[in-house]
Amino acid sequence: MIELHLILFFMIAAAIIAVEVKDLVSSVVAVGAVGIGLCMAFLVLKAPDLAIMQLVVEILSLIILIRATIRRDLPFSISGRWVFNTLATVSFIVVFLTLAYFALRSLPAFGNAAMKVSRFYIEDIMKTGSENVVSAIIVNFRAYDTLGEIAILFTAIVGVLAIARRVGYTKEKIDEPN
Amino acid sequence: MICIYMLCLALFLVGLYCVVRKRNLIKIIIGIGIMEYAVNLFFILGGYIRRGRSPIFAADQVIKNMVDPLSQAVVSTAIVIGLAFTLLLVAIAIRIYEKSGTFDITKINRLKG
Amino acid sequence: MSLTKEDRGMTLIVKTITRITFGFILLYGIYIALHGNIAPGGGFVGGVIIALSFIHIMLAFGKKRALKRMRSHRLRLMISIAALIFLYIVISGWHGSYSHIVIAICEMVIVGAGLFAIFAALVLMPKSDMASGVKK
C-alpha cells in the first residue's frame, strides 16, 4: 500500500500549509488540496461512492469558503507567551500519540476488518432489488439514518436563512425592499 | 501496519493544533474540516480488507472478498453532516465580520458598539 | 436602472459556454440520483450537482438571472413537499420495489434546493451592511 502512504503524506503536507500560510485565500485552496487527496484515498480504499461525494462536497464548500474570505483578509497576529503555548502544544501531541499507539494495538490489523454486522446486510441484499450495497444500506436498511441526516441538513438550511436575512438586523434598513 | 493509523492520527492532530492555536475564525473552520477528514478516513481504513473489491454487485455475480460497506454508509452520513456544519459556521463567521469588522476572535469583544 | 458590476456577470465567452453546459450538468445530476442503486452515487450527490449547476449560472450571469429561475418561495415549497413525502415513506415503512427511487428523488430535491438557497442567501446577504460594519 505504498500509494496510500504517499497520499497520506501529501494530505498532511497540504494540511500543514493550510494551517500555517498567512493569506486566507491560499489557505482555503490548500484545504481543497487536502479534500482532493482524501478523494484519491477513498478511490484507493475501494469506496467509489464516497469518492464522488467527497469531490462534490469539496467543490461546494470551496466555493462558499472563498466567497467568505475574498477581500476580507486579516494580517496574521500572534502575541504573548509564544514559548509556553508551543511547549504545551508539543507535549499534548506527544501524550496523545503515545496513548493512541497503545489504543490502536487492540484494533484489528489494517486489511483484516471484522465485518460482523455487514455480513447480514450482504446476505439480504437481494431482497432490496439494489445492487450497490452502500446505497441499499443508506436508503433501505438504515432509512432512519437518512431521515436524521436530512433533518440535520434541513435545520442547517433554516439556520442559515435565519442568520442571513436582512430585516431585523438594523432598524433603519427595514424599509428597504426585500 | 499500525503506521497508517498513526499517519491518520497525525492529520487529526494538525487540525486540532489549528483549532486550539489559531485566532482567525476562518482558520478555525478549516481546522474543524481537517479533523473531520481525518475521522472519515479512519473509518474507511478500519473497514478495508486486503485485495478486497468495492461493494457493488454486477448482475448475477457473487463477490466473496468485499470491503466493509457499513462503514462507508456511516461515513456518507458524516460527510453530509460536515457539509451542513461548515455552511452554518461560514454564515455565522460572515455575520460576525459584518458586526465587528474582523475575524480575530480576541478582538471581537472590544469592537462592540 | 443601472446594473452594478456584480450584477452584470462575466464575459460573453463564459456566458455562451454556460448556456450550453447548464443542461448537461443538470441532466447528469438527475442521472446520478436515479441510478444510485446500480452505480456509485445517490440522492445526495445528485442534489449537490444540481445545486452546483444553478450556482454555475449564478456565477456566470449574475444574481438576477439565476434568482429569476428559482424564486425563494418556490424553493421553500419544494423543500417542504419533498421532506413531507420522505417523512411519510420512512414512518409508514413502505418497502416496495420503487421506494429507493422515491427516496432518492426526495433527497435530491431537498439537497439541491436547500444548498442553492443557502448559496443565494450567502451571496445576497452582506452587501448593504458591509460598509457600516467596517467603518466602526
Side-chain angles (χ1 to χ4, degrees):
Chain A
M1 298 302 284
I2 186 65
E3 67 270 20
L4 198 57
H5 284 83
L6 287 180
I7 289 172
L8 269 168
F9 278 122
F10 169 72
M11 283 170 65
I12 291 174
I16 290 174
I17 291 173
V19 171
E20 288 300 328
V21 78
K22 291 180 183 176
D23 189 15
L24 276 185
V25 180
S26 311
S27 175
V28 170
V29 172
V31 168
V34 181
I36 299 299
L38 185 61
C39 173
M40 286 192 288
F42 282 158
L43 274 183
V44 170
L45 290 168
K46 304 292 185 337
D49 285 290
L50 294 180
I52 293 179
M53 190 176 278
Q54 180 65 43
L55 187 66
V56 170
V57 164
E58 191 57 46
I59 292 170
L60 186 63
S61 60
L62 199 68
I63 289 175
I64 288 181
L65 273 174
I66 284 183
R67 170 72 190 79
T69 60
I70 195 104
R71 276 186 257 117
R72 287 180 200 188
D73 215 336
L74 175 76
F76 183 69
S77 69
I78 186 164
S79 64
R81 298 198 296 172
W82 191 83
V83 177
F84 172 73
N85 280 338
T86 308
L87 277 182
T89 311
V90 168
S91 61
F92 177 73
I93 285 176
V94 168
V95 169
F96 191 87
L97 278 183
T98 313
L99 291 181
Y101 176 72
F102 289 116
L104 285 179
R105 284 198 302 191
S106 63
L107 278 181
F110 176 67
N112 302 307
M115 293 183 69
K116 281 182 184 167
V117 180
S118 52
R119 195 178 301 145
F120 302 106
Y121 289 146
I122 296 174
E123 280 173 8
D124 285 346
I125 187 67
M126 283 309 155
K127 290 179 190 168
T128 65
S130 164
E131 289 166 354
N132 186 350
V133 185
V134 178
S135 170
I137 289 176
I138 289 173
V139 300
N140 285 103
F141 294 120
R142 288 181 164 246
Y144 278 118
D145 257 2
T146 311
L147 181 67
E149 163 196 324
I150 289 298
I152 289 176
L153 193 67
F154 199 79
T155 313
I157 291 165
V158 174
V160 171
L161 290 183
I163 289 172
R165 63 179 181 170
R166 279 186 191 174
V167 179
Y169 174 52
T170 51
K171 288 197 174 135
E172 60 266 26
K173 300 278 187 198
I174 286 178
D175 51 355
E176 195 177 88
N178 212 358
Chain B
M1 287 296 273
I2 205 168
C3 165
I4 202 155
Y5 287 139
M6 296 303 271
L7 282 178
C8 188
L9 277 177
L11 187 62
F12 180 83
L13 284 178
V14 172
L16 190 64
Y17 170 79
C18 182
V19 172
V20 173
R21 273 305 292 284
K22 297 297 175 186
R23 293 178 170 180
N24 199 331
L25 268 178
I26 298 294
K27 282 281 176 75
I28 290 176
I29 295 174
I30 283 170
I32 290 173
I34 289 173
M35 285 162 69
E36 190 190 296
Y37 290 163
V39 173
N40 290 345
L41 184 60
F42 188 76
F43 264 71
I44 299 298
L45 285 175
Y48 184 68
I49 284 185
R50 191 160 298 154
R51 295 189 195 83
R53 297 185 56 182
S54 53
I56 296 171
F57 287 105
D60 306 328
Q61 183 185 8
V62 177
I63 298 176
K64 295 287 186 193
N65 199 1
M66 182 186 282
V67 301
D68 197 347
L70 184 60
S71 64
Q72 298 189 12
V74 172
V75 169
S76 82
T77 304
I79 290 177
V80 178
I81 293 172
L83 177 66
F85 191 60
T86 307
L87 293 180
L88 198 55
L89 282 183
V90 167
I92 293 174
I94 293 179
R95 196 48 117 184
I96 286 176
Y97 187 85
E98 284 174 36
K99 197 99 173 169
S100 64
T102 179
F103 274 138
D104 197 339
I105 58 172
T106 59
K107 290 178 187 164
I108 286 172
N109 266 335
R110 288 179 218 155
L111 288 177
K112 195 187 290 175
Chain C
M1 170 177 99
S2 68
L3 293 173
T4 57
K5 196 183 169 196
E6 282 87 6
D7 288 338
R8 222 180 297 139
M10 296 187 185
T11 59
L12 183 65
I13 301 172
V14 181
K15 282 182 185 173
T16 310
I17 298 295
T18 302
R19 207 173 288 134
I20 296 170
T21 55
F22 165 70
F24 289 109
I25 297 175
L26 194 66
L27 198 62
Y28 183 63
I30 296 173
Y31 165 79
I32 278 202
L34 290 185
H35 286 245
N37 55 342
I38 55 174
F44 178 76
V45 183
V48 179
I49 292 176
I50 287 175
L52 281 177
S53 71
F54 280 101
I55 288 173
H56 188 125
I57 276 199
M58 183 181 256
L59 290 180
F61 283 99
K63 295 165 200 161
K64 300 229 169 93
R65 185 75 177 270
L67 286 180
K68 211 191 305 174
R69 296 195 188 200
M70 299 279 273
R71 293 257 175 227
S72 176
H73 59 273
R74 206 181 295 165
L75 282 177
R76 268 177 239 159
L77 194 66
M78 282 166 59
I79 295 175
S80 306
I81 288 176
L84 281 180
I85 293 173
F86 196 114
L87 191 65
Y88 171 72
I89 288 175
V90 174
I91 286 181
S92 71
W94 177 38
H95 197 64
S97 55
Y98 290 107
S99 68
H100 54 270
I101 292 180
V102 181
I103 286 180
I105 290 175
C106 292
E107 197 174 356
M108 176 185 79
V109 170
I110 292 174
V111 172
L115 291 181
F116 178 70
I118 285 180
F119 186 77
L122 285 184
V123 165
L124 292 181
M125 175 169 68
K127 282 303 173 196
S128 62
D129 305 331
M130 259 277 288
S132 65
V134 175
K135 269 175 202 161
K136 265 177 205 169

